[in-house]
Amino acid sequence: MIEKFLVGGYTKRESKGIYSFLLDTDKAELSDLQLVTEVNGATYLTMDKENHLYAVASENGQGGTSAFLFDGEKAKKINSVMADGASNCYVAVDEERGLVYAANYHLGQIRVYKRLSDGGLELTDTVAHEDHHGPKPEQKGPLCHYSNLTPDNRLVVCNLGNDAVYTYAVSADGKLSDELIYQSAQGSGDRHITFSADGKHAYLACELDSTLEVLAYENGQFTLLQKTSTLPETHTGFNGVAAIRLSADGKFLYISNRGHDSIVTYKVAQDGASVETLGWTATEGNIPRDFNFNASEDFIVVAHQDSDNISLFKRNKTTGLLTLAQKDFYSPEGTCLVAI
């Protein structure tokens, strides 16, 4: 079977924007990198159910989110909503409300957009986080790194700058309210979060202290159940946690380590309330910024930001373990992978 992925990334060296590539699941092989659209700084992207592509972007010294119509091969720009300052770093779709959410890392903001009839965007709300921060040098202020839906349709936001996870109620017209805050340990650097299928547990990737937090979740509030390292005890150099993915069956959890350049595999307890570390897989590249499953979850693809390659791993769905299939597929400055 042939499957297609999109990959976005920085455009500081060789990349021109958003690309597509193919996975042949029979051959366990990646091929055919193609430019989908030129866009500056498309470090995160997502698709809605009507083939609209939304990407963070920079234009003329401003930053924001751009909307495109994707025909399966190329993407035609619909519009961009830009503002002064740095670009957003994360974007997600709310199909039920017809909204798009974006997190802005450098400005410490959450932005909410309404999806227009043609798939374009219109800003409906901006929430700026307070200017307080954690103890590490990287934490110079509020740094919003993630904004997406909880299982009960709240908006959840990870703030790396002050070691906190926020939840908001969202109105039908795209306004945020009723803020609740979960506080991680100082210096954790909360980056990305994912939820169990039943919505009772969440798994928080903490970038700065290279940990995973297992959390109980109910009605917008989190309770810490377990905090465990993403690294082997033998690693003493730099590391920053990046992406986190939970298998659809809820049995295995994966996190990428930048510096150790690995994916750590966890087995999730049957009740979802704890994890057991199974081991580490070298990603065969430098700075594995993002990774994702294919449709059947028999494979994982890993995009490397600095070594300009994507690696392919076979995944054993019984044991959760990964086996290298390909490591030298060229893709420049990759930071986000979307299976389409």
Side-chain angles (χ1 to χ4, degrees):
M1 180 179 291
I2 304 297
E3 301 181 23
K4 182 172 283 191
F5 286 79
L6 297 178
V7 55
Y10 287 105
T11 48
K12 296 179 179 180
R13 293 184 283 104
E14 298 180 21
S15 175
K16 294 182 179 180
I18 300 171
Y19 296 81
S20 66
F21 63 92
L22 302 179
L23 165 62
D24 186 325
T25 58
D26 296 324
K27 295 181 179 180
E29 183 178 62
L30 304 176
S31 65
D32 197 29
L33 187 76
Q34 298 288 337
L35 183 64
V36 168
T37 186
E38 292 192 15
V39 54
N40 189 39
T43 56
Y44 215 87
L45 52 138
T46 192
M47 293 271 295
D48 72 6
K49 293 180 178 179
E50 297 179 350
N51 293 323
H52 297 119
L53 171 63
Y54 299 102
V56 305
S58 299
E59 296 178 2
N60 302 317
Q62 294 185 312
T65 303
S66 294
F68 304 85
L69 180 62
F70 181 57
D71 65 6
E73 299 294 334
K74 299 292 183 180
K76 181 180 179 181
K77 186 176 174 182
I78 302 169
N79 77 331
S80 296
V81 181
M82 296 289 160
D84 291 339
S87 182
N88 300 324
C89 71
Y90 193 94
V91 61
V93 171
D94 182 340
E95 295 280 3
E96 182 178 328
R97 298 185 184 95
L99 301 173
V100 170
Y101 307 108
N104 191 294
Y105 181 77
H106 292 287
L107 297 180
Q109 294 179 352
I110 303 303
R111 295 169 178 171
V112 185
Y113 308 92
K114 178 182 179 180
R115 287 190 299 168
L116 305 176
S117 59
D118 64 353
L121 298 175
E122 178 181 88
L123 186 68
T124 63
D125 200 7
T126 299
V127 174
H129 281 198
E130 294 181 9
D131 189 16
H132 55 274
H133 51 83
K136 294 191 174 180
E138 301 93 332
Q139 298 175 302
K140 296 178 180 179
L143 303 169
C144 297
H145 215 309
Y146 176 97
S147 56
N148 209 333
L149 292 173
T150 66
D152 55 354
N153 279 328
R154 291 175 168 87
L155 185 69
V156 60
V157 175
C158 295
N159 188 322
L160 185 145
N162 64 8
D163 308 312
V165 179
Y166 297 68
T167 51
Y168 298 88
V170 186
S171 69
D173 59 352
K175 301 293 183 181
L176 303 183
S177 63
D178 300 333
E179 173 186 281
L180 298 170
I181 302 175
Y182 164 77
Q183 194 70 51
S184 295
Q186 285 200 342
S188 293
D190 301 354
R191 180 183 174 95
H192 282 190
I193 194 168
T194 190
F195 290 83
S196 60
D198 63 8
K200 295 181 179 179
H201 295 95
Y203 307 94
L204 175 64
C206 299
E207 177 179 331
L208 298 183
D209 68 357
S210 296
T211 63
L212 162 70
E213 291 191 4
V214 180
L215 308 170
Y217 176 76
E218 185 176 10
N219 297 326
Q221 296 183 309
F222 298 93
T223 304
L224 179 64
L225 301 175
Q226 181 187 11
K227 190 175 179 74
T228 188
S229 178
T230 68
L231 294 170
E233 293 181 358
T234 54
H235 183 77
T236 57
F238 163 78
N239 191 70
V241 160
I244 181 170
R245 305 283 182 185
L246 179 67
S247 60
D249 61 13
K251 294 181 179 180
F252 299 100
L253 184 74
Y254 303 88
I255 292 177
S256 62
N257 287 302
R258 296 169 296 171
H260 190 246
D261 291 342
S262 67
I263 289 179
V264 57
T265 301
Y266 300 99
K267 182 178 181 180
V268 181
Q270 189 171 358
D271 64 359
S274 64
V275 300
E276 173 191 352
T277 305
L278 297 182
W280 292 264
T281 303
T283 59
E284 305 294 341
N286 188 13
I287 309 297
R289 176 71 174 260
D290 196 21
F291 65 95
N292 214 335
F293 301 105
N294 76 315
S296 66
E297 299 193 349
D298 288 306
F299 293 90
I300 280 179
V301 291
V302 186
H304 297 91
Q305 177 182 320
D306 286 4
S307 54
D308 297 337
N309 69 303
I310 295 177
S311 300
L312 175 67
F313 294 86
K314 294 182 180 179
R315 190 179 82 94
N316 186 316
K317 291 195 284 190
T318 301
T319 66
L321 300 180
L322 307 179
T323 304
L324 180 66
Q326 185 180 356
K327 65 180 181 179
D328 57 355
F329 181 69
Y330 171 76
S331 178
E333 303 179 77
T335 62
C336 181
L337 287 161
V338 176
I340 58 174

